[in-house]
Amino acid sequence: MGDTKNARRRKDNLAGWAFIAPFGVFFVLFLVWPIIYGLYLSFTGTTLTGAGGEFVGFANYAEALADRDMWRAMLNTLWFTVLSTIPLVLVALVMALLVDLGLPGQWLWRLSFFMPFLLASTVVSLIWIWLFNPQLGLINEMLKPFGVEPIAWLQDPQWAMLGVVIATVWWTVGFNFLLYLAALQNIPEQQYEAAALDGAGKWRQLFSITIPQLAPTTGLIVILQVLASLKVFDQIFQMTQGGPAGTTRSAVVYIFDLGFTGYRFGYSAAVSFIFFAVIILVSLVQLRITSRKGARS
Amino acid sequence: MTTLELPKEARVADPRPKAPRRPGEKPFGVGRIVALVILILMAISWLLPFAWALVTSLKTEADAGATPVSWLAPNGFTLEAYASVLEEGNIPVWAINSLLSSAIITLLTVATSALAAYAFSRLDFTGRKWLFFVVIASIIIPPQVLIIPLFYEMLAFNMVDTYWGLILPQVVAPPMVYILKKFFDQIPIELEDAARVDGATRLRLFWSIVLPLSRPILAAVSIFVFIAAWNNFLWPFIVINDTSLMTLPVGLQTVKSAYGVQYAQNMAMALLAALPLIVIFLFFQRQIIKGIATTGFGGQ
């Protein structure tokens, strides 16, 4: 009896590792190893040619902490995250609430709001650079009747970040919208029936049933959105290259610039790990907040 | 989607496609009309960029660059921009590169992830718990912080500017392992027990019992991975310099500046590049929506 159990266990061991192996090879080669190697690089002065690969201790980290450009990029990233997350949650919620009313044309609403999410960042950037064009862009044209002077959206330090945020909301809100829509459709009908019997009106139902029932979904969306926004690169790199005057340069754009235009691989790796630490910190804070909320309810 | 006889436990909750009507609701209340108007306005705002791109792409360059800005084309609408983009450009080559690399990435990712997920779900091997923890914890790693060491690795393997360098580093998706494991966990183990008594190997159980039952989730995961690979920009941009090896997003980025002020051609290019995924979406709408609804994961 014990023997067969052991034999079975041994068989499971072998099979287990065999099943893991193909994934494991990619996982180790392209995730684990780059992290370890990146950490090593961050303690060296490595450049593109591999020159200057000597160990420099914490010099890169010390330099980064005193690097005003790095802090600026981090702050820009946080600013972008705040500016984008709020509308990406609220607009998605409004879209889902409206679509969930069951008005005619369901497929059309879903398609309109979700389609941009399918586009490559290059396509999104091409379209929005054109829409934001100071002389020929549709956005300025539409603002004209309201007496707004033409704005150089992506070239004006005052407006560039907002321009990137607008394009980002248009591009990615569809994903959050679908998450909300699914959650809405899972709220039990009986709750509304009971509330209606108690004389609760539509708005009362919205704030006493719908919104509270959506809390877990909202938590999930906020977590996913903050993590996604912190990593912003594509649309900034393509629409503004981090300019004008560094006003839209995000952390990842800075890491890219250091590595692939400045060829300072070691230093770039060090900034990567500082950024990684920020991401972990933000995740932990979010986890704290959501778990505390969960404990209360 | 094929109709599969799933055991109850293995079925993923279906987001109801029907639109629920709240009790006591009048079909034509004032509130509903207001809601409809807001919905129409929002949908128009979301479709407007497409419409503007389309109209621009159908103009002559002269009309596209003319002020005042107009939806009309004094010189008439034309397919000139599309013709010249397709003639001069590498768009067909890039589209094939995108299609091939995304398909291979999807195949390898889904195959390796499903095998690993099965092991995590069913096989009691030493180190399973901490290994699963490591895989899940790795979800938090932003792939962008790995670009420098990954590029170095590619230099060392001589894979810069090759299909290998483009494809292989994209074949690892820990979230998909998690999603698949969660799904496999729901499939009743009894289904496999019977076959095991008959002497079926683990691989056989996985292949003939678990995989067929997992078709919906495999479809959803495949589509996510495919969209993410198709749209990925940063890695292909870094590892590929050779024009003939570029994917669509990278190729577009390089010619965007070359085309400069040729607005009609730029928009024709954007729409041509957007077309394949929109077609895919129209085909797989249900799987995509259901996949996002039930797993909460997607590209980007």
Side-chain angles (χ1 to χ4, degrees), chain A:
Chain A
M1 196 56 198
D3 265 6
T4 52
K5 213 175 176 188
N6 264 341
R8 192 172 150 175
R9 178 86 209 242
R10 228 174 302 136
K11 238 173 133 184
D12 257 11
N13 244 333
L14 202 70
W17 286 93
F19 271 70
I20 298 282
F23 173 81
V25 170
F26 286 99
F27 188 73
V28 169
L29 269 180
F30 302 119
L31 214 85
V32 177
W33 174 247
I35 289 191
I36 296 170
Y37 192 61
L39 197 60
Y40 162 76
L41 277 179
S42 74
F43 291 104
T44 70
T46 307
T47 58
L48 178 72
T49 55
E54 73 284 349
F55 200 73
V56 295
F58 282 93
N60 285 330
Y61 287 92
E63 184 185 343
L65 292 179
D67 179 353
R68 293 185 63 170
D69 284 343
M70 188 206 76
W71 287 112
R72 185 127 182 258
M74 294 283 175
L75 283 177
N76 283 342
T77 307
L78 291 178
W79 182 223
F80 171 84
T81 303
V82 172
L83 270 185
S84 62
T85 299
I86 294 169
L88 277 168
V89 175
L90 291 181
V91 173
L93 177 62
V94 170
M95 282 173 168
L97 286 172
L98 287 171
V99 170
D100 190 54
L101 289 174
L103 297 159
Q106 289 294 311
W107 69 270
L108 178 68
W109 315 127
R110 273 206 291 251
L111 190 68
S112 322
F113 298 146
F114 184 70
M115 202 155 55
F117 184 75
L118 294 168
L119 305 183
S121 58
T122 331
V123 174
V124 173
S125 308
L126 269 173
I127 292 179
W128 280 90
I129 289 172
W130 174 230
L131 285 165
F132 280 139
N133 185 301
Q135 288 86 40
L136 303 166
L138 191 63
I139 303 288
N140 278 346
E141 188 65 22
M142 284 167 49
L143 292 173
K144 224 189 251 168
F146 302 98
V148 179
E149 291 293 308
I151 297 169
W153 284 93
L154 301 174
Q155 293 80 33
D156 185 335
Q158 249 189 311
W159 297 101
M161 187 63 101
L162 190 63
V164 173
V165 167
I166 291 171
T168 305
V169 171
W170 178 80
W171 180 25
T172 59
V173 75
F175 182 72
N176 295 346
F177 156 74
L178 283 187
L179 284 181
Y180 264 134
L181 197 59
L184 276 173
Q185 301 190 336
N186 281 329
I187 300 177
E189 203 65 23
Q190 296 92 308
Q191 296 200 6
Y192 291 102
E193 282 159 20
L197 282 180
D198 289 344
K202 285 270 139 28
W203 289 103
R204 187 63 211 269
Q205 290 180 23
L206 175 66
F207 286 105
S208 307
I209 300 173
T210 313
I211 305 279
Q213 288 274 358
L214 288 178
T217 307
T218 304
L220 175 75
I221 290 178
V222 171
I223 289 178
L224 290 177
Q225 190 55 58
V226 166
L227 288 178
S229 284
L230 285 174
K231 298 181 215 162
V232 64
F233 173 82
D234 290 14
Q235 61 269 50
I236 290 182
F237 181 75
Q238 291 161 10
M239 290 172 73
T240 65
Q241 289 85 44
T247 43
T248 60
R249 183 153 72 187
S250 71
V252 180
V253 174
Y254 189 50
I255 290 168
F256 177 89
D257 282 347
L258 285 173
F260 292 95
T261 6
Y263 301 132
R264 297 191 60 194
F265 280 13
Y267 186 54
S268 176
V271 174
S272 298
F273 277 90
I274 293 175
F275 174 60
F276 188 21
V278 170
I279 292 225
I280 290 178
L281 200 73
V282 171
S283 313
L284 287 177
V285 170
Q286 282 191 317
L287 215 63
R288 261 313 266 285
I289 294 171
T290 44
S291 61
R292 203 181 295 159
K293 246 195 223 145
R296 219 188 290 140
S297 61

Side-chain angles (χ1 to χ4, degrees), chain A residues 33 37, chain B residues 149-160:
Chain A
W33 174 247
Y37 192 61
Chain B
L150 214 46
F151 181 71
Y152 240 77
E153 204 179 330
M154 291 300 113
L155 280 177
F157 291 166
N158 264 326
M159 283 189 187
V160 173

Side-chain angles (χ1 to χ4, degrees), chain A residues 101-104, chain B residues 20-21 25-37:
Chain A
L101 289 174
L103 297 159
Chain B
R21 166 109 49 92
E25 207 157 52
K26 291 184 224 89
F28 293 110
V30 177
R32 282 172 73 81
I33 291 173
V34 173
L36 188 62
V37 171

